[in-house]
Amino acid sequence: MPRTNEDAPRVGIAPDSWGVWNADDDRQPPSTQYLSEVQGAGYHWTELGPFGYLGTEIAKLRDDFAQHDLSLSAGTVFTNLHRSPAEIDNAWRDVRAVAEVVQALGATHVITIPGLWERGDDGGVRGARAFSSVEWSTFLAGHDEIGRRLREEFGITQAFHSHAESPIGSYREVTRLLEGTDPAYTNLCLDTGHLAYYGGDSERLIREFPERVAYLHLKQVEPDLLADVLKNEISFVEAVRLGVMVEPPLGVPEYAPILTEAARVMPGIFAIIEQDMYPVGDFSLPLPIAVRTREYIEGCGAPARFR
């Protein structure tokens, strides 16, 4: 348990919980709705979401956040560092743009996510689902280099995010990432839902790598639907549309043990709620879910603070 309330995980929410996957998309609620409703739902911390969704002008972002009493916890970037060492500079252009905003708004984390599998028009996966040994080496070295640049230029921590339908999704793959990278430069954004997607145990991961979990995403999956998704090779995008990510307590894993364990090893860690809902369809749905999720966490008995 945390020594003081200040040591409890800082619980916030991300645009993903409003069905936001793209910077500009008519099937998503507008950013003005998101900012207003996050505040109304009782949250203080948010992520940037897809870069550009909330805007990229620092002065306007600062004003928008102040108007809604919000603070930034992190920004997010997709990368493809397994391709070649030359990909580092390509990725750095995107990472650096996000890092400039993250630093200016007082946050200290950039979340990096690996490129996902490609699917053809028939829905089938094209290409390999896992890295070759050469790709692994290139990928690991590339993330350490990105992390080094973030640390030295911005004082920002890289938090790597495993993902369903990517080469880094299973528990063993996440373990290989952690064992093959430098903790000074590459640590983990543990997404509880994406790890559970392939049967991974978040509590175990925190216990086994307590020094490497730098950030949390709180997410649940509905296990019966997930079993059908995996058995029938339904795509992640379709699985989300079918509702594989659910609000607590309707799925797994439970948040209370994870928050308790995280508070013990990483006082004050960010724990950001992300419920994939794209496309949300009815723009009125996210707000009541966000409120119920906050109430669930407040009542689950785990250490958590919302300011």
Side-chain angles (χ1 to χ4, degrees):
M1 295 294 287
R3 294 180 293 275
T4 70
N5 186 57
E6 291 298 307
D7 294 332
R10 292 172 285 178
V11 178
I13 202 162
D16 194 20
S17 292
W18 265 253
V20 175
W21 275 9
N22 302 298
D24 185 18
D25 190 330
D26 290 341
R27 293 193 291 177
Q28 300 172 168
S31 60
T32 50
Q33 176 183 338
Y34 173 73
L35 291 170
S36 175
E37 292 188 347
V38 166
Q39 180 187 31
Y43 296 92
H44 176 67
W45 289 290
T46 182
E47 293 180 1
L48 289 175
F51 192 55
Y53 172 67
L54 295 180
T56 59
E57 296 181 15
I58 290 170
K60 186 175 188 307
L61 278 167
R62 190 178 283 122
D63 288 345
D64 288 345
F65 275 44
Q67 179 183 346
H68 294 93
D69 189 28
L70 297 174
S71 291
L72 184 67
S73 61
T76 303
V77 184
F78 277 85
T79 65
N80 286 288
L81 292 168
H82 65 287
R83 290 176 177 169
S84 76
E87 189 66 29
I88 292 172
D89 287 337
N90 293 332
W92 180 242
R93 284 193 289 271
D94 294 334
V95 172
R96 195 177 197 283
V98 173
E100 288 174 347
V101 174
V102 166
Q103 183 189 57
L105 269 64
T108 57
H109 292 83
V110 167
I111 298 163
T112 52
I113 303 177
L116 308 186
W117 300 339
E118 294 184 19
R119 288 185 176 269
D121 293 339
D122 62 356
V125 176
R126 289 199 256 184
R129 301 183 186 216
F131 290 149
S132 68
S133 59
V134 171
E135 287 173 327
W136 263 108
S137 296
T138 305
F139 172 82
L140 296 173
H143 273 286
D144 274 350
E145 176 59 17
I146 291 293
R148 183 191 67 79
R149 295 184 188 186
L150 278 171
R151 175 69 65 189
E152 294 181 0
E153 186 167 339
F154 294 99
I156 285 174
T157 296
Q158 175 186 205
F160 179 87
H161 183 306
S162 67
H163 204 287
E165 294 205 348
S166 85
I168 314 293
S170 71
Y171 194 93
R172 292 179 65 189
E173 289 164 343
V174 173
T175 296
R176 184 169 180 177
L177 165 85
L178 293 175
E179 292 177 343
T181 51
D182 188 335
Y185 303 128
T186 305
N187 287 292
L188 195 66
C189 168
L190 169 55
D191 186 299
T192 63
H194 280 281
L195 193 66
Y197 203 88
Y198 296 121
D201 184 332
S202 291
E203 289 179 72
R204 175 189 171 195
L205 190 66
I206 296 170
R207 288 194 302 269
E208 292 186 354
F209 297 92
E211 307 296 327
R212 304 298 299 275
V213 178
Y215 196 97
L216 288 175
H217 276 168
L218 298 176
K219 184 178 292 160
Q220 288 191 345
V221 295
E222 202 290 300
D224 295 331
L225 176 55
L226 178 62
D228 286 343
V229 165
L230 298 178
K231 174 182 176 292
N232 297 301
E233 294 196 345
I234 296 170
S235 73
F236 174 71
V237 171
E238 178 65 9
V240 168
R241 190 189 68 78
L242 293 172
V244 74
M245 303 301 184
V246 292
E247 66 179 282
L250 303 177
V252 296
E254 294 183 24
Y255 291 167
I258 293 167
L259 288 167
T260 299
E261 190 66 20
R264 184 181 66 81
V265 301
M266 184 64 71
I269 191 172
F270 278 113
I272 303 300
I273 298 159
E274 272 201 335
Q275 183 184 338
D276 290 297
M277 296 176 65
Y278 182 86
V280 70
D282 182 349
F283 289 0
S284 70
L285 290 177
L287 175 58
I289 293 174
V291 171
R292 290 194 298 268
T293 301
R294 174 180 54 76
E295 292 171 345
Y296 163 80
I297 293 173
E298 288 176 329
C300 75
R305 61 188 176 101
F306 292 83
R307 291 196 63 84

